[in-house]
Amino acid sequence: MRAKALTMALFIVFVAIVLFAIPFGIYTSKYIVEKHEQYNVINALGIADRVDSNLDRNLPFSFSIFSRVLLQTEHPYDYAQVIMPDGGIYTYGKDITSKNYYIYRVSTLKGALVTTKTFQYATNNEIFWMWVIIFILSSAFASFTIALVFYVTHKFSVPLIYLAAQAEAVGAGAIRTQVQKSGIEEMDLVQEELSRTAEKIARRIAVEKQFASNASHQLRTPLTALCMRVEEIELISDSEDVKAEAAKCIEQIDRLTGIVEDLLNSARNKNITTQEAVFLYEIFDQQHKEWDLYFRKAKRDLIVIDETTSAALATKGYISQVIATLIENSLKYGDGTTTVDAYMSGSKGIIIDVSDEGEGISEDISSRVFEKYFSGHGS
């Protein structure tokens, strides 16, 4: 989400610069050029007015005309020339021979010719600093936008992470989940709905447990009574056929009792537990202590290897049960050394291998070994 938001923000900044900053800079540059050209015209016209004023009063030409105009306009020129009607030439400053200047000529009413020239240095300097300011403002706008994106995405991503963790906890069976409200209405509504869902799951589990408890009492007692009656028939009967049939009935009753026990155990095993950080070496040490003696009696070796570098988010009891079942199966049906090996898979996954040196799984059942309740040995 952050990457997409950042890409969109940078695109908006680019569009804003292209549509606003660059056109504004071009327009402002033209305005600065026109402004300085106008300054040059104003200077020429001011000198022309002074020259005509002196000619009207039959006053001789004075170089103070140049300085007075400069003081009045506050926009200095670099070179000025006045050609009087009688042919007299008066200049101010050093004539500009380069190409980077503004020039303006005006004839006065008395026949004098006034010329002013101004370097473009001040214009270029002003345009340069104008573009510098635009660049700084654009950079500040881009930085502010990126910072705003990081702030907003952080504000949204953190509650989303906690919300995902809460959803995962509810999915894993955690009934009570404590998550602080984010202040974002939509996310808080989802969080409240998750809490309500967790409470509904808790009620359903309570009903299932109650059902399992009731079924346990209601099914075991009749089956036990039935088994006792059949055993009594088997004992008091003199007929071999009756005894054989009674024995078969007892077997079926025992089988039915086992099925009921399996169903009840399956229902009870739906306990809701909370996942936690589990270090596999603790489980491996425990399993090795429990099974090492049995393997030695069978003249076999049990080796446990933990190559993980971090904890796993899981339910410790379930992992212990699964590993214990695999070790027991290896002891019963496998051969040679049994190895329990845990290693990292990528940056977030952990793989646990339980292997031995037996014949392995036959091809006729290899496609079904991961089906629920399937067993190649009938257990």
Side-chain angles (χ1 to χ4, degrees), residues 167-228:
E168 183 179 359
V170 172
I175 303 303
R176 304 297 179 187
T177 56
Q178 298 293 333
V179 180
Q180 294 182 353
K181 290 188 176 182
S182 63
I184 303 173
E185 182 179 0
E186 292 77 6
M187 293 186 185
D188 291 339
L189 289 175
V190 175
Q191 177 189 340
E192 292 174 1
E193 186 60 31
L194 279 176
S195 299
R196 286 193 291 268
T197 302
E199 293 176 358
K200 293 177 182 178
I201 295 174
R203 289 194 292 269
R204 291 180 181 178
I205 292 175
V207 171
E208 290 182 1
K209 287 183 176 181
Q210 186 64 37
F211 169 77
S213 177
N214 294 337
S216 174
H217 290 288
Q218 294 177 9
L219 291 176
R220 284 178 178 176
T221 302
L223 288 174
T224 303
L226 180 60
C227 185
M228 293 175 64

Side-chain angles (χ1 to χ4, degrees), residues 39 67 96 135 156 174 184 211 216 259 278 280 290 341 367 370:
Y39 291 162
S67 59
I96 301 174
F135 175 78
F156 278 88
I184 303 173
F211 169 77
S216 174
I259 293 174
V278 177
L280 295 180
E290 291 181 3
D341 184 14
S367 61
F370 291 106

Side-chain angles (χ1 to χ4, degrees), residues 145-162:
T145 304
I146 293 173
L148 183 63
V149 167
F150 274 95
Y151 171 76
V152 173
T153 53
H154 177 75
K155 186 177 180 181
F156 278 88
S157 62
V158 172
L160 283 175
I161 292 173
Y162 284 113

Side-chain angles (χ1 to χ4, degrees), residues 45-81:
L45 293 177
I47 295 173
D49 289 341
R50 288 288 178 178
V51 170
D52 279 352
S53 177
N54 280 19
L55 292 176
D56 284 340
R57 291 180 292 174
N58 295 322
L59 296 176
F61 182 86
S62 173
F63 283 96
S64 62
I65 292 175
F66 297 115
S67 59
R68 289 177 182 176
V69 171
L70 289 176
L71 291 174
Q72 290 178 357
T73 62
E74 298 182 359
H75 303 299
Y77 46 83
D78 296 290
Y79 174 78
Q81 181 187 70

Side-chain angles (χ1 to χ4, degrees), residues 93-114:
K94 186 177 180 180
D95 192 8
I96 301 174
T97 57
S98 65
K99 297 181 180 179
N100 298 322
Y101 62 88
Y102 303 113
I103 183 172
Y104 184 75
R105 291 187 176 91
V106 60
S107 298
T108 68
L109 297 177
K110 299 298 183 179
L113 178 63
V114 178

